[in-house]
Structure formats: C-alpha cells, structure tokens
Amino acid sequence: MNSPIGVFDSGIGGLTVAHAIKSALPNETLIYFGDTAHLPYGDKSEAAVQAYSIKIADVLLNKGCKVIVIACNSASSAAYELLKEYTGKKAKVINVIDPMVKYLEEHYANKKVGLIGTKRTVTSNVYHKKVKQLRKNIELVSLATPLLVPMIEEGFFNNKISHEIIEKYLNNKLFDNISALVLGCTHYPLVNSQITKYFGGEVDILDSSEITTTYLKQYLIESGILNLEKTGEDRFIVSDYTESFEASTKIFFKEKVKLEKHLLWD
Ligand code: DGL
C-alpha cells in the first residue's frame, strides 16, 4: 500500500500524467523517470524503445514500485506487452493506450475519431488494432505529427509559430467530421487549448493523462492498495541532466521539481 508508483516517459512529457496522478491521488508517492538521454522515443525503432523501457523498469522495480505507469504513448505501443511479461507479479504495469481505448468504447460508438501522435505510435497501429477489436463501429483516423514534440520541448506553444504548425497538421481532410481527437502523445496536453480553439470547441479533445489517472485510481481501490496517508517524498530522476531541462520541467509539472541523475548504462 505504501509503496511508490513508478511513472516513466522519454523525457518530461510524462510529467503531464504524473501531475494528473498527483492531483487525484495526493497520498501516493511518485518516482518519475525521464529517459532524457534517449529522447525522443517517437523516432526510435521498436527494439530500441523496448530496451530502454526494460532498463527503466529495473530502476523502478529496485525502488519497490507497486505500479509502473508507462506515461508515454510511444513506449506503451512498443513495450507494454514485453514489460508486463518482464515485471510479472512484481508490479502492475499500466499504459496510456488501454484506458483511452476503453474510454472510446464507452463514449464514441458509431463515431469518427481522430488521433495524433509520434511516428512510433502511429506506425505501430496499436490504437487501430485495439479499437477494431471493440467492434463498436468506431472509425479511427490517425496522423503522425512529429514536429509537435520538439516544438513543445523548445517552449513553442501558445504562440504564432505553434499555431501555424498545429493548423498545418490539423487542416487535413482526414479529420473532417470527427467527434473527438485523441492526444496520442503525453507532450500534447500542453497545446490542448490551441487544438481546442482550432476546432472551435466542436470536437472533444481527449487527454490521456486524466483518463489514465481515473483508470489507475480504480485499479488501486479495487486491489486495496490505495495509499491512505502521505508517507513518502516524490522523486524525479533523469538519465541525462541539464539545468535548462530542470527549468522546463516546471511547465509540464506546474511546479518546480528537483531532478536526480541516474545513468541507464554505465
Ligand atoms: N511523450 C511521448 C509519447 O507520449 C513522446 C515523446 C518522444 O517522442 O519521446 O509518445
């Protein structure tokens, strides 16, 4: 019950998920791992993302995490099945894709839904395969939007440049008549308001950080391992460290965090 929850991403994008968990489950202790040495995952091969994910799982398991949240769509699509097998009974593994697919099942039967994500996530076709299995007649259309992660990491959001890049991607026939757009990358909640504005409020913008947190909370309650009192301090670990990186974590986590460094390979 008192054990920490491990959360990881290629970098700081997963802090959007960590922040949602922190807000909904304030008694839980978080250990966040940002694999900044290997960022971005979205352009890497499936095998590379699997290797990084296993190494990170080792770090989180060694710290006694009861749950590992893969707060990254690219790693969720490449490494979830492998991590589940690897961790076995030592920890529950939760990804950001299954809670979203469940949400689509409950709310978007017989509708057209758009998805934007990294190249790794979109070319993996994981969302398509899982949505098809639902047999809910959901038409899913997806587009890789690889410029968004570097754009956001460089602090370009809520300005003219980010507006033009977002418009260039979304102004695509593919997205005609969609009811909802899945933000299939944990960096994208930072441009949620710009995307919402682009669609004039007529399309639901689905943010996996909130949806995954609801799923995690339900799991902790059902398994009787929800932490009832605050017992530990949160930790934020990265595989490569720069001061400017530490400064930008504030934008994602909404408060300043102190980063520790841990190499994945010596
Ligand atoms: N935040 C990661 C995701 O959800 C992507 C960032 C990256 O490409 O490393 O896919």
Side-chain angles (χ1 to χ4, degrees), residues 205-225:
I205 309 302
L206 308 181
D207 172 350
S208 62
S209 58
E210 301 294 336
I211 292 168
T212 304
T213 298
T214 308
Y215 187 90
L216 168 68
K217 184 173 180 179
Q218 200 179 338
Y219 167 76
L220 294 174
I221 293 170
E222 281 170 9
S223 315
I225 54 169

Side-chain angles (χ1 to χ4, degrees), residues 17-71:
V17 180
H19 187 261
I21 296 174
K22 203 73 232 151
S23 308
L25 303 164
N27 289 333
E28 298 299 329
T29 306
L30 299 187
I31 299 187
Y32 185 85
F33 195 101
D35 190 10
T36 47
H38 302 112
L39 176 98
Y41 279 4
D43 298 337
K44 301 283 189 311
S45 69
E46 184 181 58
V49 176
Q50 287 177 341
Y52 305 147
S53 302
I54 292 284
K55 279 282 190 185
I56 296 167
D58 275 338
V59 175
L60 298 174
L61 289 174
N62 282 336
K63 299 193 184 311
C65 290
K66 59 185 173 187
V67 178
I68 295 177
V69 179
I70 312 176

Side-chain angles (χ1 to χ4, degrees), residues 9-14 38-43 71-76 96 117-118 120-121 149-150 153 183-188 208:
D9 178 44
S10 57
I12 45 184
H38 302 112
L39 176 98
Y41 279 4
D43 298 337
C72 171
N73 284 263
S74 309
S76 293
V96 284
T118 64
R120 171 99 322 279
T121 300
V149 168
E153 294 255 346
L183 302 184
C185 171
T186 53
H187 279 70
Y188 299 175
S208 62

Side-chain angles (χ1 to χ4, degrees), residues 92-222:
K92 165 86 174 169
V93 182
I94 289 180
N95 66 63
V96 284
I97 296 176
D98 288 326
M100 179 61 78
V101 170
K102 187 163 174 276
Y103 190 83
L104 295 179
E105 178 179 23
E106 289 162 0
H107 298 88
Y108 294 96
N110 306 311
K111 301 240 166 84
K112 182 176 173 187
V113 173
L115 166 87
I116 52 173
T118 64
K119 286 190 215 161
R120 171 99 322 279
T121 300
V122 171
T123 58
S124 76
N125 263 327
V126 170
Y127 276 96
H128 281 271
K129 286 178 205 150
K130 293 192 182 220
V131 164
K132 201 167 166 211
Q133 278 166 8
L134 300 174
R135 297 180 182 279
K136 290 282 181 185
N137 192 29
I138 298 169
E139 184 194 349
L140 184 70
V141 290
S142 57
L143 182 73
T145 50
L147 276 182
L148 296 189
V149 168
M151 177 191 93
I152 293 166
E153 294 255 346
E154 287 300 321
F156 286 91
F157 43 89
N158 290 327
N159 65 21
K160 203 164 155 257
I161 293 171
S162 60
H163 175 76
E164 280 181 12
I165 294 174
I166 290 168
E167 185 170 313
K168 180 88 187 133
Y169 279 134
L170 298 181
N171 185 9
N172 187 319
K173 285 229 159 306
L174 200 62
F175 295 133
D176 283 356
N177 305 317
I178 54 171
S179 301
L181 182 77
V182 175
L183 302 184
C185 171
T186 53
H187 279 70
Y188 299 175
L190 289 198
V191 287
N192 191 335
S193 60
Q194 282 188 282
I195 293 175
T196 303
K197 207 161 148 206
Y198 172 83
F199 286 110
E202 281 171 20
V203 169
D204 303 334
I205 309 302
L206 308 181
D207 172 350
S208 62
S209 58
E210 301 294 336
I211 292 168
T212 304
T213 298
T214 308
Y215 187 90
L216 168 68
K217 184 173 180 179
Q218 200 179 338
Y219 167 76
L220 294 174
I221 293 170
E222 281 170 9

